[in-house]
Amino acid sequence: MLNVPPQAFPAPGSQQRAAAGGRTKVPLKPGRSLMDWIRLTKSGKDLTGLKGRLTEVTEDELAKHNKKEDCWICIRGFVYNVTPYMEYHPGGEDELMKAAGTDGTDLFDQVHRWVNYESMLKECLVGRMAFKPVAAPKGMLSERKVLGASARDTTPSYDWFQTDDLITVVIYTKRKDMNAELVIVDCQDKRLRGEIILDDHSYLVEVDLDHEVQDDFAVNVAGKLGKVEITLKKKDHFQWKVLGLPLESHNTLMKRMERGLFYRTCKLVSKTEVTHDTKLFCFMLPEGTHLQVPTGQHVYLKQIIAGTEVVKPYTPLLPFLPLDFKELSHQDGAHIYLMIKIYSCGLFTQALDHLQIGDDISVSNPEGDFKTSQVQGVEDLFLLAAGTGFTPMVKLLNLALTKADCLRTVKLIFFNKKEDDILWRNQLEQLALRDERFEVQFILSEPAEGWVGKRGKISSSLLSECMKRSKKDSKVLTCICGPTPFTEQGIQYLKDLGYSHKEMHAFTA
Ligand code: FAD
Ligand code: NAD
């Protein structure tokens, strides 16, 4: 349990007050933080006004509750009285009012489908919709609902085979560009879940297996054939009559946005200091999981804080900055490394910091819209990072320095407040000495007197001064990550400097 002073949230500059995740957040009144909301939900107060009674809600009834002082919203068939939540909503009352008296599922999914509303709003539950809501429930969309007839030919399929010892599930993805990062398999307690990422869609095989299997399994990807094989080891030597009982979303192809995030339990194996306030956390995936987080993507961590599930995104990186970049040499597949800044008033990071070695935490499947193909053919790569916005740049550097054959220069322009905030400074300087394509420049917004390097915050003049192409008209990519105002301003300055949309990528949630 956290011991947080009631008025500390949201602190000035907190993400709960500031803009975040590519959408505008509004300043919350003091005493209206997530922690304050959690406290209110635990207070025993009747938040629905129905004294704990659940009711069946018709569309007409729902529509009547469309005012700030009386606001009901339907999400995935469940109706919540969000009136008491209004002042606590980080996106502001007006955002919430967009769904007042209606089915807000689509709006919710667009903005923050990773937020666990079931847990956050459980005390606001009024009941179920009497009629099916307009948006389909999570996990219930069939392949036919997602794809038009012409697309069905490209729908993946699966089959399974067995020997005395092995069960092999084969997924025919009908794609020619498969790789291990596009395959996520979890097999625990007889439940097999194999998800194949196909651009913005995903195909799922999900069954309750007929018999027990061992924890370890093999995943083989025949990239050019588009074939994925999951080979499970039987615990006994029975001949299975069926693979198992299909679960709700088995054999479906649907938009990734519409599929619920899947979490597995990982163990904290180490926690090491990076700077005065930032730590490198190493989490071990369970044995029955095959998961490789692609470059530029993040995962969500989920913890129960004061009885409520809280979810935050983090960007996996490598355990250290390799000086000799080699393809995949530093990804062991069994661990996830996260570099996380611990905020003194941070709800989630304080709880993370209190985790002990061996403690469990839930880690989701990866998400993110960065595509590794974006670095193909790039000659000059600029990385604009602020604070922990450095995290996606680590794997990106690895990718660029190993794979981008045309690459001439990579420049990391790293914005921090003070010198002792700079993450992996030594390693970055070492790399710059070692690889002549790589250059790093540190820019401080609150430097001490003796600082001889550049100072200030992101600006058009700083960028035009620091970003020089290796040759006129070289193919450029600029990636940017940091606090939302930093990223938004950076994108605007780049546009003003004549960079096109294709020449930039912003990391956001
Ligand atoms: P909150 O309770 O939300 O914030 C409260 C406190 O945090 C305040 O006291 C405030 O002082 C401080 N604070 C929070 N953000 C800022 C800020 N930008 N500037 C100044 N003060 C701030 N974080 C990492 O450390 N590593 C990552 O790899 C990482 N990856 C991310 C990936 C994505 C896609 C996104 C959107 C965010 C990522 N973050 C990462 C940020 C992370 O998700 C949390 O927002 C962060 O850990 C703060 O959570 P909290 O609950 O502890 O803080
Ligand atoms: P910080 O507060 O220590 O600031 C670092 C630097 O960012 C500052 O020195 C300054 O140059 C710049 N900066 C800060 N606020 C600014 C503003 N309002 N306008 C212009 N420049 C500003 O940074 P931090 O505490 O390490 O925060 C890192 C941020 O990066 C967090 O907001 C986190 O959510 C975000 N992040 C995003 C991702 C992603 O993929 N989207 C990944 C990692 C981190």
Side-chain angles (χ1 to χ4, degrees), residues 403-435:
K403 279 212 164 167
D405 5 338
C406 312
L407 192 76
R408 298 159 72 98
T409 66
V410 185
K411 181 162 184 182
L412 170 69
I413 307 170
F414 197 179
F415 296 80
N416 283 284
K417 286 183 177 148
K418 298 179 190 307
E419 223 170 330
D420 64 0
D421 293 332
I422 302 174
L423 304 164
W424 282 355
R425 179 178 182 173
N426 271 340
Q427 300 190 41
L428 288 165
E429 286 173 340
Q430 289 275 323
L431 180 64
L433 288 175
R434 190 95 165 226
D435 193 320

PDB file of all heavy atoms in Angstrom, residues 403-435:
ATOM      1  N   LYS A 403      21.571  -2.353 -39.141  1.00  0.00           N
ATOM      2  CA  LYS A 403      20.787  -2.774 -40.316  1.00  0.00           C
ATOM      3  C   LYS A 403      20.702  -1.773 -41.446  1.00  0.00           C
ATOM      4  O   LYS A 403      20.466  -2.154 -42.586  1.00  0.00           O
ATOM      5  CB  LYS A 403      19.370  -3.112 -39.859  1.00  0.00           C
ATOM      6  CG  LYS A 403      19.259  -4.488 -39.256  1.00  0.00           C
ATOM      7  CD  LYS A 403      17.904  -5.036 -39.559  1.00  0.00           C
ATOM      8  CE  LYS A 403      17.827  -6.534 -39.343  1.00  0.00           C
ATOM      9  NZ  LYS A 403      16.458  -6.977 -39.348  1.00  0.00           N
ATOM     10  N   ALA A 404      20.786  -0.467 -41.107  1.00  0.00           N
ATOM     11  CA  ALA A 404      20.549   0.521 -42.165  1.00  0.00           C
ATOM     12  C   ALA A 404      21.823   0.673 -43.004  1.00  0.00           C
ATOM     13  O   ALA A 404      22.764   1.348 -42.595  1.00  0.00           O
ATOM     14  CB  ALA A 404      20.135   1.849 -41.539  1.00  0.00           C
ATOM     15  N   ASP A 405      21.842   0.025 -44.139  1.00  0.00           N
ATOM     16  CA  ASP A 405      23.078  -0.045 -44.935  1.00  0.00           C
ATOM     17  C   ASP A 405      23.500   1.306 -45.523  1.00  0.00           C
ATOM     18  O   ASP A 405      24.674   1.525 -45.773  1.00  0.00           O
ATOM     19  CB  ASP A 405      23.005  -1.091 -46.058  1.00  0.00           C
ATOM     20  CG  ASP A 405      21.654  -1.731 -46.193  1.00  0.00           C
ATOM     21  OD1 ASP A 405      20.915  -1.706 -45.208  1.00  0.00           O
ATOM     22  OD2 ASP A 405      21.348  -2.259 -47.275  1.00  0.00           O
ATOM     23  N   CYS A 406      22.539   2.197 -45.746  1.00  0.00           N
ATOM     24  CA  CYS A 406      22.904   3.486 -46.351  1.00  0.00           C
ATOM     25  C   CYS A 406      23.317   4.510 -45.299  1.00  0.00           C
ATOM     26  O   CYS A 406      23.665   5.643 -45.636  1.00  0.00           O
ATOM     27  CB  CYS A 406      21.729   4.062 -47.113  1.00  0.00           C
ATOM     28  SG  CYS A 406      20.952   2.896 -48.187  1.00  0.00           S
ATOM     29  N   LEU A 407      23.204   4.129 -44.019  1.00  0.00           N
ATOM     30  CA  LEU A 407      23.366   5.104 -42.937  1.00  0.00           C
ATOM     31  C   LEU A 407      24.742   5.772 -42.950  1.00  0.00           C
ATOM     32  O   LEU A 407      25.770   5.111 -42.993  1.00  0.00           O
ATOM     33  CB  LEU A 407      23.162   4.392 -41.593  1.00  0.00           C
ATOM     34  CG  LEU A 407      23.021   5.307 -40.403  1.00  0.00           C
ATOM     35  CD1 LEU A 407      21.637   5.935 -40.379  1.00  0.00           C
ATOM     36  CD2 LEU A 407      23.226   4.519 -39.119  1.00  0.00           C
ATOM     37  N   ARG A 408      24.725   7.097 -42.926  1.00  0.00           N
ATOM     38  CA  ARG A 408      25.987   7.844 -42.869  1.00  0.00           C
ATOM     39  C   ARG A 408      26.181   8.456 -41.487  1.00  0.00           C
ATOM     40  O   ARG A 408      27.276   8.387 -40.933  1.00  0.00           O
ATOM     41  CB  ARG A 408      25.985   8.954 -43.922  1.00  0.00           C
ATOM     42  CG  ARG A 408      25.888   8.387 -45.353  1.00  0.00           C
ATOM     43  CD  ARG A 408      25.375   9.436 -46.305  1.00  0.00           C
ATOM     44  NE  ARG A 408      26.394  10.447 -46.545  1.00  0.00           N
ATOM     45  CZ  ARG A 408      27.198  10.460 -47.595  1.00  0.00           C
ATOM     46  NH1 ARG A 408      27.104   9.511 -48.498  1.00  0.00           N
ATOM     47  NH2 ARG A 408      28.072  11.418 -47.744  1.00  0.00           N
ATOM     48  N   THR A 409      25.118   9.052 -40.927  1.00  0.00           N
ATOM     49  CA  THR A 409      25.255   9.662 -39.603  1.00  0.00           C
ATOM     50  C   THR A 409      24.030   9.385 -38.726  1.00  0.00           C
ATOM     51  O   THR A 409      22.912   9.292 -39.226  1.00  0.00           O
ATOM     52  CB  THR A 409      25.390  11.205 -39.704  1.00  0.00           C
ATOM     53  OG1 THR A 409      24.162  11.737 -40.198  1.00  0.00           O
ATOM     54  CG2 THR A 409      26.530  11.631 -40.599  1.00  0.00           C
ATOM     55  N   VAL A 410      24.292   9.224 -37.424  1.00  0.00           N
ATOM     56  CA  VAL A 410      23.221   9.188 -36.427  1.00  0.00           C
ATOM     57  C   VAL A 410      23.582  10.225 -35.392  1.00  0.00           C
ATOM     58  O   VAL A 410      24.684  10.181 -34.826  1.00  0.00           O
ATOM     59  CB  VAL A 410      23.148   7.845 -35.669  1.00  0.00           C
ATOM     60  CG1 VAL A 410      21.939   7.837 -34.734  1.00  0.00           C
ATOM     61  CG2 VAL A 410      23.087   6.680 -36.600  1.00  0.00           C
ATOM     62  N   LYS A 411      22.673  11.151 -35.149  1.00  0.00           N
ATOM     63  CA  LYS A 411      22.964  12.147 -34.118  1.00  0.00           C
ATOM     64  C   LYS A 411      21.863  12.122 -33.060  1.00  0.00           C
ATOM     65  O   LYS A 411      20.678  12.284 -33.383  1.00  0.00           O
ATOM     66  CB  LYS A 411      23.083  13.535 -34.737  1.00  0.00           C
ATOM     67  CG  LYS A 411      23.409  14.579 -33.679  1.00  0.00           C
ATOM     68  CD  LYS A 411      23.958  15.841 -34.264  1.00  0.00           C
ATOM     69  CE  LYS A 411      24.352  16.804 -33.154  1.00  0.00           C
ATOM     70  NZ  LYS A 411      24.834  18.060 -33.666  1.00  0.00           N
ATOM     71  N   LEU A 412      22.288  11.896 -31.815  1.00  0.00           N
ATOM     72  CA  LEU A 412      21.353  11.965 -30.694  1.00  0.00           C
ATOM     73  C   LEU A 412      21.472  13.342 -30.055  1.00  0.00           C
ATOM     74  O   LEU A 412      22.558  13.731 -29.610  1.00  0.00           O
ATOM     75  CB  LEU A 412      21.693  10.876 -29.664  1.00  0.00           C
ATOM     76  CG  LEU A 412      20.951  10.969 -28.326  1.00  0.00           C
ATOM     77  CD1 LEU A 412      19.454  10.662 -28.489  1.00  0.00           C
ATOM     78  CD2 LEU A 412      21.544   9.992 -27.302  1.00  0.00           C
ATOM     79  N   ILE A 413      20.388  14.073 -30.066  1.00  0.00           N
ATOM     80  CA  ILE A 413      20.359  15.373 -29.395  1.00  0.00           C
ATOM     81  C   ILE A 413      19.525  15.155 -28.136  1.00  0.00           C
ATOM     82  O   ILE A 413      18.317  14.879 -28.216  1.00  0.00           O
ATOM     83  CB  ILE A 413      19.766  16.471 -30.311  1.00  0.00           C
ATOM     84  CG1 ILE A 413      20.536  16.462 -31.645  1.00  0.00           C
ATOM     85  CG2 ILE A 413      19.843  17.834 -29.648  1.00  0.00           C
ATOM     86  CD1 ILE A 413      19.918  17.328 -32.716  1.00  0.00           C
ATOM     87  N   PHE A 414      20.210  15.203 -26.991  1.00  0.00           N
ATOM     88  CA  PHE A 414      19.623  14.698 -25.755  1.00  0.00           C
ATOM     89  C   PHE A 414      19.394  15.869 -24.788  1.00  0.00           C
ATOM     90  O   PHE A 414      20.341  16.483 -24.296  1.00  0.00           O
ATOM     91  CB  PHE A 414      20.587  13.654 -25.167  1.00  0.00           C
ATOM     92  CG  PHE A 414      19.976  12.758 -24.127  1.00  0.00           C
ATOM     93  CD1 PHE A 414      20.739  11.748 -23.538  1.00  0.00           C
ATOM     94  CD2 PHE A 414      18.653  12.886 -23.729  1.00  0.00           C
ATOM     95  CE1 PHE A 414      20.199  10.907 -22.577  1.00  0.00           C
ATOM     96  CE2 PHE A 414      18.102  12.041 -22.774  1.00  0.00           C
ATOM     97  CZ  PHE A 414      18.885  11.063 -22.198  1.00  0.00           C
ATOM     98  N   PHE A 415      18.105  16.162 -24.556  1.00  0.00           N
ATOM     99  CA  PHE A 415      17.704  17.294 -23.708  1.00  0.00           C
ATOM    100  C   PHE A 415      17.453  16.814 -22.280  1.00  0.00           C
ATOM    101  O   PHE A 415      16.683  15.877 -22.071  1.00  0.00           O
ATOM    102  CB  PHE A 415      16.414  17.928 -24.245  1.00  0.00           C
ATOM    103  CG  PHE A 415      16.546  18.551 -25.596  1.00  0.00           C
ATOM    104  CD1 PHE A 415      16.514  17.770 -26.744  1.00  0.00           C
ATOM    105  CD2 PHE A 415      16.699  19.920 -25.740  1.00  0.00           C
ATOM    106  CE1 PHE A 415      16.624  18.343 -28.010  1.00  0.00           C
ATOM    107  CE2 PHE A 415      16.810  20.506 -26.991  1.00  0.00           C
ATOM    108  CZ  PHE A 415      16.783  19.713 -28.132  1.00  0.00           C
ATOM    109  N   ASN A 416      18.105  17.446 -21.342  1.00  0.00           N
ATOM    110  CA  ASN A 416      17.886  17.127 -19.931  1.00  0.00           C
ATOM    111  C   ASN A 416      17.885  18.406 -19.135  1.00  0.00           C
ATOM    112  O   ASN A 416      18.284  19.457 -19.627  1.00  0.00           O
ATOM    113  CB  ASN A 416      18.998  16.195 -19.418  1.00  0.00           C
ATOM    114  CG  ASN A 416      18.784  14.775 -19.894  1.00  0.00           C
ATOM    115  OD1 ASN A 416      17.938  14.050 -19.379  1.00  0.00           O
ATOM    116  ND2 ASN A 416      19.537  14.380 -20.917  1.00  0.00           N
ATOM    117  N   LYS A 417      17.468  18.279 -17.867  1.00  0.00           N
ATOM    118  CA  LYS A 417      17.495  19.469 -17.018  1.00  0.00           C
ATOM    119  C   LYS A 417      18.928  19.733 -16.571  1.00  0.00           C
ATOM    120  O   LYS A 417      19.493  20.779 -16.833  1.00  0.00           O
ATOM    121  CB  LYS A 417      16.582  19.261 -15.806  1.00  0.00           C
ATOM    122  CG  LYS A 417      15.102  19.334 -16.156  1.00  0.00           C
ATOM    123  CD  LYS A 417      14.267  19.185 -14.904  1.00  0.00           C
ATOM    124  CE  LYS A 417      12.799  19.333 -15.214  1.00  0.00           C
ATOM    125  NZ  LYS A 417      11.964  18.530 -14.338  1.00  0.00           N
ATOM    126  N   LYS A 418      19.508  18.765 -15.869  1.00  0.00           N
ATOM    127  CA  LYS A 418      20.843  18.966 -15.292  1.00  0.00           C
ATOM    128  C   LYS A 418      21.772  17.857 -15.755  1.00  0.00           C
ATOM    129  O   LYS A 418      21.325  16.825 -16.253  1.00  0.00           O
ATOM    130  CB  LYS A 418      20.754  18.924 -13.767  1.00  0.00           C
ATOM    131  CG  LYS A 418      19.863  20.026 -13.173  1.00  0.00           C
ATOM    132  CD  LYS A 418      19.836  19.874 -11.662  1.00  0.00           C
ATOM    133  CE  LYS A 418      18.812  20.737 -10.990  1.00  0.00           C
ATOM    134  NZ  LYS A 418      18.813  22.127 -11.274  1.00  0.00           N
ATOM    135  N   GLU A 419      23.071  18.088 -15.499  1.00  0.00           N
ATOM    136  CA  GLU A 419      24.074  17.131 -15.939  1.00  0.00           C
ATOM    137  C   GLU A 419      23.833  15.737 -15.339  1.00  0.00           C
ATOM    138  O   GLU A 419      23.976  14.731 -16.028  1.00  0.00           O
ATOM    139  CB  GLU A 419      25.458  17.657 -15.507  1.00  0.00           C
ATOM    140  CG  GLU A 419      26.480  17.504 -16.588  1.00  0.00           C
ATOM    141  CD  GLU A 419      27.778  18.232 -16.246  1.00  0.00           C
ATOM    142  OE1 GLU A 419      27.740  19.255 -15.534  1.00  0.00           O
ATOM    143  OE2 GLU A 419      28.829  17.751 -16.716  1.00  0.00           O
ATOM    144  N   ASP A 420      23.460  15.702 -14.043  1.00  0.00           N
ATOM    145  CA  ASP A 420      23.313  14.377 -13.420  1.00  0.00           C
ATOM    146  C   ASP A 420      21.989  13.694 -13.785  1.00  0.00           C
ATOM    147  O   ASP A 420      21.682  12.620 -13.287  1.00  0.00           O
ATOM    148  CB  ASP A 420      23.541  14.432 -11.894  1.00  0.00           C
ATOM    149  CG  ASP A 420      22.493  15.273 -11.192  1.00  0.00           C
ATOM    150  OD1 ASP A 420      21.599  15.808 -11.882  1.00  0.00           O
ATOM    151  OD2 ASP A 420      22.566  15.392  -9.954  1.00  0.00           O
ATOM    152  N   ASP A 421      21.200  14.327 -14.661  1.00  0.00           N
ATOM    153  CA  ASP A 421      19.989  13.657 -15.172  1.00  0.00           C
ATOM    154  C   ASP A 421      20.304  12.853 -16.443  1.00  0.00           C
ATOM    155  O   ASP A 421      19.455  12.081 -16.909  1.00  0.00           O
ATOM    156  CB  ASP A 421      18.913  14.688 -15.544  1.00  0.00           C
ATOM    157  CG  ASP A 421      18.370  15.425 -14.334  1.00  0.00           C
ATOM    158  OD1 ASP A 421      18.379  14.846 -13.238  1.00  0.00           O
ATOM    159  OD2 ASP A 421      17.948  16.597 -14.499  1.00  0.00           O
ATOM    160  N   ILE A 422      21.488  13.061 -17.014  1.00  0.00           N
ATOM    161  CA  ILE A 422      21.769  12.440 -18.318  1.00  0.00           C
ATOM    162  C   ILE A 422      21.907  10.917 -18.158  1.00  0.00           C
ATOM    163  O   ILE A 422      22.705  10.438 -17.355  1.00  0.00           O
ATOM    164  CB  ILE A 422      23.059  13.016 -18.951  1.00  0.00           C
ATOM    165  CG1 ILE A 422      22.921  14.537 -19.123  1.00  0.00           C
ATOM    166  CG2 ILE A 422      23.354  12.342 -20.287  1.00  0.00           C
ATOM    167  CD1 ILE A 422      24.192  15.231 -19.610  1.00  0.00           C
ATOM    168  N   LEU A 423      21.096  10.202 -18.913  1.00  0.00           N
ATOM    169  CA  LEU A 423      21.064   8.737 -18.822  1.00  0.00           C
ATOM    170  C   LEU A 423      22.178   8.139 -19.697  1.00  0.00           C
ATOM    171  O   LEU A 423      22.363   8.565 -20.843  1.00  0.00           O
ATOM    172  CB  LEU A 423      19.705   8.215 -19.295  1.00  0.00           C
ATOM    173  CG  LEU A 423      18.491   8.799 -18.546  1.00  0.00           C
ATOM    174  CD1 LEU A 423      17.195   8.537 -19.316  1.00  0.00           C
ATOM    175  CD2 LEU A 423      18.408   8.228 -17.139  1.00  0.00           C
ATOM    176  N   TRP A 424      22.899   7.191 -19.159  1.00  0.00           N
ATOM    177  CA  TRP A 424      23.937   6.444 -19.886  1.00  0.00           C
ATOM    178  C   TRP A 424      24.930   7.381 -20.593  1.00  0.00           C
ATOM    179  O   TRP A 424      25.331   7.121 -21.737  1.00  0.00           O
ATOM    180  CB  TRP A 424      23.306   5.473 -20.877  1.00  0.00           C
ATOM    181  CG  TRP A 424      22.777   4.220 -20.210  1.00  0.00           C
ATOM    182  CD1 TRP A 424      22.889   3.865 -18.917  1.00  0.00           C
ATOM    183  CD2 TRP A 424      22.093   3.138 -20.858  1.00  0.00           C
ATOM    184  NE1 TRP A 424      22.306   2.639 -18.692  1.00  0.00           N
ATOM    185  CE2 TRP A 424      21.804   2.168 -19.870  1.00  0.00           C
ATOM    186  CE3 TRP A 424      21.682   2.897 -22.165  1.00  0.00           C
ATOM    187  CZ2 TRP A 424      21.139   0.981 -20.160  1.00  0.00           C
ATOM    188  CZ3 TRP A 424      21.019   1.717 -22.443  1.00  0.00           C
ATOM    189  CH2 TRP A 424      20.748   0.771 -21.459  1.00  0.00           C
ATOM    190  N   ARG A 425      25.293   8.474 -19.918  1.00  0.00           N
ATOM    191  CA  ARG A 425      26.175   9.453 -20.560  1.00  0.00           C
ATOM    192  C   ARG A 425      27.509   8.822 -20.991  1.00  0.00           C
ATOM    193  O   ARG A 425      27.959   9.013 -22.118  1.00  0.00           O
ATOM    194  CB  ARG A 425      26.440  10.602 -19.587  1.00  0.00           C
ATOM    195  CG  ARG A 425      27.365  11.638 -20.173  1.00  0.00           C
ATOM    196  CD  ARG A 425      27.586  12.781 -19.233  1.00  0.00           C
ATOM    197  NE  ARG A 425      28.432  13.781 -19.848  1.00  0.00           N
ATOM    198  CZ  ARG A 425      28.689  14.960 -19.312  1.00  0.00           C
ATOM    199  NH1 ARG A 425      28.157  15.285 -18.154  1.00  0.00           N
ATOM    200  NH2 ARG A 425      29.476  15.810 -19.923  1.00  0.00           N
ATOM    201  N   ASN A 426      28.122   8.058 -20.051  1.00  0.00           N
ATOM    202  CA  ASN A 426      29.421   7.447 -20.367  1.00  0.00           C
ATOM    203  C   ASN A 426      29.334   6.535 -21.567  1.00  0.00           C
ATOM    204  O   ASN A 426      30.176   6.558 -22.458  1.00  0.00           O
ATOM    205  CB  ASN A 426      29.914   6.601 -19.180  1.00  0.00           C
ATOM    206  CG  ASN A 426      30.707   7.457 -18.248  1.00  0.00           C
ATOM    207  OD1 ASN A 426      31.183   8.529 -18.656  1.00  0.00           O
ATOM    208  ND2 ASN A 426      30.839   7.018 -17.009  1.00  0.00           N
ATOM    209  N   GLN A 427      28.285   5.718 -21.551  1.00  0.00           N
ATOM    210  CA  GLN A 427      28.123   4.748 -22.638  1.00  0.00           C
ATOM    211  C   GLN A 427      27.932   5.462 -23.973  1.00  0.00           C
ATOM    212  O   GLN A 427      28.459   5.031 -24.999  1.00  0.00           O
ATOM    213  CB  GLN A 427      26.928   3.854 -22.357  1.00  0.00           C
ATOM    214  CG  GLN A 427      27.065   3.070 -21.059  1.00  0.00           C
ATOM    215  CD  GLN A 427      25.965   2.022 -20.941  1.00  0.00           C
ATOM    216  OE1 GLN A 427      25.619   1.352 -21.897  1.00  0.00           O
ATOM    217  NE2 GLN A 427      25.410   1.882 -19.761  1.00  0.00           N
ATOM    218  N   LEU A 428      27.181   6.549 -23.946  1.00  0.00           N
ATOM    219  CA  LEU A 428      26.939   7.302 -25.187  1.00  0.00           C
ATOM    220  C   LEU A 428      28.247   7.928 -25.688  1.00  0.00           C
ATOM    221  O   LEU A 428      28.544   7.906 -26.892  1.00  0.00           O
ATOM    222  CB  LEU A 428      25.881   8.386 -24.957  1.00  0.00           C
ATOM    223  CG  LEU A 428      24.449   7.862 -24.795  1.00  0.00           C
ATOM    224  CD1 LEU A 428      23.532   8.930 -24.226  1.00  0.00           C
ATOM    225  CD2 LEU A 428      23.906   7.358 -26.144  1.00  0.00           C
ATOM    226  N   GLU A 429      29.028   8.463 -24.751  1.00  0.00           N
ATOM    227  CA  GLU A 429      30.293   9.084 -25.156  1.00  0.00           C
ATOM    228  C   GLU A 429      31.270   8.034 -25.695  1.00  0.00           C
ATOM    229  O   GLU A 429      31.981   8.274 -26.670  1.00  0.00           O
ATOM    230  CB  GLU A 429      30.887   9.863 -23.976  1.00  0.00           C
ATOM    231  CG  GLU A 429      30.091  11.144 -23.757  1.00  0.00           C
ATOM    232  CD  GLU A 429      30.468  11.933 -22.510  1.00  0.00           C
ATOM    233  OE1 GLU A 429      31.072  11.343 -21.583  1.00  0.00           O
ATOM    234  OE2 GLU A 429      30.148  13.134 -22.451  1.00  0.00           O
ATOM    235  N   GLN A 430      31.246   6.854 -25.056  1.00  0.00           N
ATOM    236  CA  GLN A 430      32.087   5.739 -25.529  1.00  0.00           C
ATOM    237  C   GLN A 430      31.708   5.347 -26.956  1.00  0.00           C
ATOM    238  O   GLN A 430      32.560   5.136 -27.803  1.00  0.00           O
ATOM    239  CB  GLN A 430      31.856   4.502 -24.657  1.00  0.00           C
ATOM    240  CG  GLN A 430      32.411   4.601 -23.273  1.00  0.00           C
ATOM    241  CD  GLN A 430      33.869   4.204 -23.255  1.00  0.00           C
ATOM    242  OE1 GLN A 430      34.258   3.295 -23.970  1.00  0.00           O
ATOM    243  NE2 GLN A 430      34.663   4.919 -22.496  1.00  0.00           N
ATOM    244  N   LEU A 431      30.402   5.255 -27.176  1.00  0.00           N
ATOM    245  CA  LEU A 431      29.926   4.848 -28.504  1.00  0.00           C
ATOM    246  C   LEU A 431      30.335   5.875 -29.560  1.00  0.00           C
ATOM    247  O   LEU A 431      30.740   5.514 -30.668  1.00  0.00           O
ATOM    248  CB  LEU A 431      28.400   4.665 -28.492  1.00  0.00           C
ATOM    249  CG  LEU A 431      27.792   4.230 -29.821  1.00  0.00           C
ATOM    250  CD1 LEU A 431      28.286   2.850 -30.238  1.00  0.00           C
ATOM    251  CD2 LEU A 431      26.262   4.213 -29.743  1.00  0.00           C
ATOM    252  N   ALA A 432      30.255   7.149 -29.180  1.00  0.00           N
ATOM    253  CA  ALA A 432      30.620   8.210 -30.130  1.00  0.00           C
ATOM    254  C   ALA A 432      32.104   8.115 -30.494  1.00  0.00           C
ATOM    255  O   ALA A 432      32.491   8.389 -31.637  1.00  0.00           O
ATOM    256  CB  ALA A 432      30.305   9.567 -29.528  1.00  0.00           C
ATOM    257  N   LEU A 433      32.931   7.684 -29.526  1.00  0.00           N
ATOM    258  CA  LEU A 433      34.361   7.531 -29.822  1.00  0.00           C
ATOM    259  C   LEU A 433      34.596   6.327 -30.725  1.00  0.00           C
ATOM    260  O   LEU A 433      35.478   6.313 -31.568  1.00  0.00           O
ATOM    261  CB  LEU A 433      35.153   7.324 -28.518  1.00  0.00           C
ATOM    262  CG  LEU A 433      35.292   8.546 -27.617  1.00  0.00           C
ATOM    263  CD1 LEU A 433      35.985   8.183 -26.313  1.00  0.00           C
ATOM    264  CD2 LEU A 433      36.095   9.640 -28.338  1.00  0.00           C
ATOM    265  N   ARG A 434      33.773   5.308 -30.507  1.00  0.00           N
ATOM    266  CA  ARG A 434      33.976   4.020 -31.171  1.00  0.00           C
ATOM    267  C   ARG A 434      33.440   4.008 -32.605  1.00  0.00           C
ATOM    268  O   ARG A 434      34.038   3.428 -33.496  1.00  0.00           O
ATOM    269  CB  ARG A 434      33.226   2.988 -30.329  1.00  0.00           C
ATOM    270  CG  ARG A 434      33.486   1.594 -30.674  1.00  0.00           C
ATOM    271  CD  ARG A 434      34.574   1.051 -29.788  1.00  0.00           C
ATOM    272  NE  ARG A 434      34.583  -0.390 -29.874  1.00  0.00           N
ATOM    273  CZ  ARG A 434      34.664  -1.182 -28.836  1.00  0.00           C
ATOM    274  NH1 ARG A 434      34.758  -0.689 -27.628  1.00  0.00           N
ATOM    275  NH2 ARG A 434      34.676  -2.468 -29.007  1.00  0.00           N
ATOM    276  N   ASP A 435      32.264   4.601 -32.804  1.00  0.00           N
ATOM    277  CA  ASP A 435      31.610   4.507 -34.113  1.00  0.00           C
ATOM    278  C   ASP A 435      31.524   5.913 -34.714  1.00  0.00           C
ATOM    279  O   ASP A 435      30.792   6.765 -34.187  1.00  0.00           O
ATOM    280  CB  ASP A 435      30.199   3.911 -33.937  1.00  0.00           C
ATOM    281  CG  ASP A 435      29.575   3.499 -35.257  1.00  0.00           C
ATOM    282  OD1 ASP A 435      29.741   4.247 -36.245  1.00  0.00           O
ATOM    283  OD2 ASP A 435      28.932   2.444 -35.310  1.00  0.00           O
TER     284      ASP A 435
END
